[in-house]
Amino acid sequence: MSRVTDTTNSAQPKSHGVRALKWLLATGLALSMWVVADNWGDLLRDRSAPAANTAHSSSAPLTPEQIEQGRYLALAGNCMACHTTRGGTPWAGGRRTDTPFGGVYSSNLTPDPDTGLGRWTAQDFWKALHRGRSKDGRLLAPAFPYNHTSVITRPDSDAIFAWLNTLPPVVQAQPAHTLVWPVGTQPALAVWRSLFFEPSPFQADKSQTAEWNRGAYLVQGLGHCAACHSPRNALGASGPVRDLSGGLMPVVNWYAPDLTHDAESGLASTPLPEIVRLLRTGGSTTAQTSGPMGEVVQHSLQHLKEPDLQAMAIYLQSRAQSTPQPAPGKAPPPRISLQVATLGGKVYENQCLQCHGEQGEGVKTASGEVAYPALAGNRAVLLSDPTNLVQLVLYGGYGPATQGHPRPFGMPPAVLELQDRDIAAVLTHLRSHWGNRAGEVTPLQVNRIRAAQGP
């Protein structure tokens, strides 16, 4: 007697599996096409409209005034800081920027034809700023903040490029990046850009003044303030160009304060002239800059024109004043062990009291600028994240030397003198005395920052 086998049920799973595989392949193909179009589609559009593509490059040569404007804009963007190795030839590139994924080396911006911009056109340069892509179509690593340079207008881009072409050409090839695989590959960069990069050409807010809009343009574009003052996600992407909500800067281990929160930045309550003074000189009657912000003042902001600093201050202050601030409250005194309190007071007396005073009152110069900052009520002392305090005690605090503040007072490093528990205790002392109400700093927090700097 023959047996009939029902194959209907056994064939069904196979057919579902085939359909699922086809769906996955189709979805993967569609996503791949989207990523390719998103990163290189404009090349096809440019080829189909060459007249529009060459409109700027065929214009008349820039005037000396425009070229000088390019030099000024390059200063405003602090470009030389990244595109110059320490002790090397200015603008020849090769400086390493460390990221959580490895090292990225800056490119040569001098007009050398083989290793620099000598064969580039103004259109190529504009594409690098606006699309984050090299002359040959290669996608650039986002250590170059092209989300911010995409804000820059075409006339300003052309002026910067024209000025760079006046520099002496320097033969210096860009070293190969040392990013971990596959982070530095073109496919990985393309996917990252499709997820996190969108060009942001500047659009003036018609409800605001020309001065406010100038400040917004400088802060969002050349100043690239959000590159530090916004949080970064696990894949290294920062917030939008307008995001000034603060965040920990990876690798360098400094906390960039929330510029929209007055308790962290003081921008909402500080008089406008004092904000301008801080940007121009690195010091004011209420604050000092150090660390990465001190470098920005040193290499860039001190060289800007007064109207531009005023415009930036107006924009930043308006952002802080228009952001809802948390209601002030009285935090309960932090609980600190007797051992930590005793050690902290002893270290303060031996190491800090002479400059910062018995009551943390600090010292000011005859002109009213901060010499040794007051610690009572100090915003940097009260930050919920004590990273900056640890950095300052470990490695010293030195403001930038500027024309308006040529001999800033400094704080010596204690990295070789104090142990982690000493630093944690004295910082806890600062954060819990003279009306300060902030949390305890632990030896582990100090050790992590000390260890991150290497031997």
Side-chain angles (χ1 to χ4, degrees):
M1 185 175 178
S2 62
R3 187 172 67 181
V4 177
T5 303
D6 185 359
T7 61
T8 304
N9 290 336
S10 64
Q12 224 171 11
K14 290 181 181 179
S15 115
H16 284 324
V18 170
R19 282 200 298 270
L21 180 60
K22 288 181 178 179
W23 182 85
L24 286 173
L25 289 173
T27 302
L29 179 61
L31 288 173
S32 298
M33 292 175 65
W34 169 64
V35 168
V36 170
D38 184 50
N39 287 279
W40 292 283
D42 61 307
L43 291 175
L44 298 175
R45 293 192 295 272
D46 287 346
R47 286 173 185 169
S48 65
N53 187 42
T54 59
H56 285 277
S57 59
S58 62
S59 58
L62 272 66
T63 65
E65 290 75 19
Q66 290 171 306
I67 293 174
E68 170 57 24
Q69 176 70 355
R71 184 196 69 82
Y72 174 78
L73 294 169
L75 273 175
N78 199 19
C79 308
M80 192 175 76
C82 287
H83 289 273
T84 305
T85 57
R86 295 190 183 277
T89 305
W91 303 99
R95 180 166 181 175
R96 178 186 170 107
T97 297
D98 288 310
T99 78
F101 313 101
V104 176
Y105 290 88
S106 59
S107 56
N108 184 347
L109 296 186
T110 74
D112 178 67
D114 297 318
T115 63
L117 302 180
R119 302 185 197 278
W120 286 47
T121 66
Q123 179 69 14
D124 297 329
F125 188 73
W126 163 250
K127 285 293 184 182
L129 298 187
H130 189 71
R131 293 294 305 176
R133 198 173 53 226
S134 188
K135 174 181 172 63
D136 57 7
R138 177 176 49 88
L139 304 179
L140 302 174
F144 171 45
Y146 40 75
N147 53 335
H148 291 280
T149 59
S150 72
V151 175
I152 298 171
T153 64
R154 182 58 191 262
D156 282 353
S157 170
D158 288 352
I160 295 171
F161 180 70
W163 177 74
L164 289 173
N165 272 290
T166 67
L167 299 174
V170 178
V171 179
Q172 182 164 294
Q174 181 183 19
H177 302 327
T178 57
L179 295 167
V180 296
W181 190 90
V183 172
T185 64
Q186 290 292 289
L189 285 172
V191 171
W192 187 94
R193 289 159 53 97
S194 292
L195 290 173
F196 303 117
F197 170 55
E198 182 66 36
S200 306
F202 184 71
Q203 294 183 342
D205 185 339
K206 294 181 180 179
S207 67
Q208 299 288 350
T209 65
E211 194 173 27
W212 185 96
N213 277 296
R214 175 64 176 174
Y217 174 69
L218 290 169
V219 167
Q220 295 173 18
L222 288 162
H224 56 283
C225 301
C228 294
H229 289 276
S230 71
R232 290 184 178 267
N233 63 24
L235 295 177
S238 60
V241 296
R242 293 186 73 259
D243 187 351
L244 301 173
S245 60
L248 185 67
M249 299 167 64
V251 181
V252 297
N253 283 312
W254 281 84
Y255 175 77
D258 182 349
L259 299 184
T260 67
H261 188 185
D262 194 60
E264 291 198 9
S265 70
L267 286 170
S269 56
T270 300
L272 200 65
E274 287 302 304
I275 299 175
V276 174
R277 186 179 184 181
L278 183 68
L279 296 177
R280 186 182 65 247
T281 70
S284 70
T285 58
T286 59
Q288 282 183 318
T289 61
S290 59
M293 188 61 197
E295 293 180 18
V296 173
V297 173
Q298 179 77 46
H299 300 297
S300 176
L301 292 177
Q302 70 162 316
H303 303 292
L304 298 195
K305 299 172 183 175
E306 193 76 9
D308 279 343
L309 293 173
Q310 175 87 1
M312 293 175 73
I314 286 172
Y315 172 73
L316 291 170
Q317 187 174 70
S318 78
R319 289 290 309 277
Q321 290 176 341
S322 63
T323 301
Q325 304 291 330
K330 189 74 171 178
R335 293 185 177 181
I336 301 166
S337 70
L338 179 61
Q339 181 182 12
V340 170
T342 302
L343 177 60
K346 181 179 178 181
V347 175
Y348 184 83
E349 182 179 352
N350 292 337
Q351 303 286 337
C352 315
L353 185 147
Q354 185 176 358
C355 295
H356 294 285
E358 276 190 38
Q359 301 301 315
E361 67 273 21
V363 175
K364 289 189 176 182
T365 66
S367 61
E369 290 183 343
V370 174
Y372 303 115
L375 302 176
N378 188 306
R379 290 187 298 272
V381 171
L382 296 171
L383 284 173
S384 58
D385 187 327
T387 295
N388 295 355
L389 285 180
V390 176
Q391 287 275 18
L392 288 168
V393 175
L394 279 173
Y395 305 110
Y398 299 93
T402 61
Q403 186 174 0
H405 196 196
R407 288 194 291 274
F409 290 82
M411 174 174 162
V415 62
L416 300 179
E417 187 173 357
L418 298 179
Q419 298 179 10
D420 294 343
R421 65 186 184 91
D422 299 324
I423 294 174
V426 73
L427 293 181
T428 299
H429 179 84
L430 308 185
R431 289 160 65 85
S432 59
H433 279 70
W434 318 303
N436 292 344
R437 295 287 184 269
E440 181 178 357
V441 180
T442 68
L444 179 59
Q445 288 173 304
V446 178
N447 181 259
R448 283 175 176 169
I449 295 173
R450 187 194 293 264
Q453 302 299 321

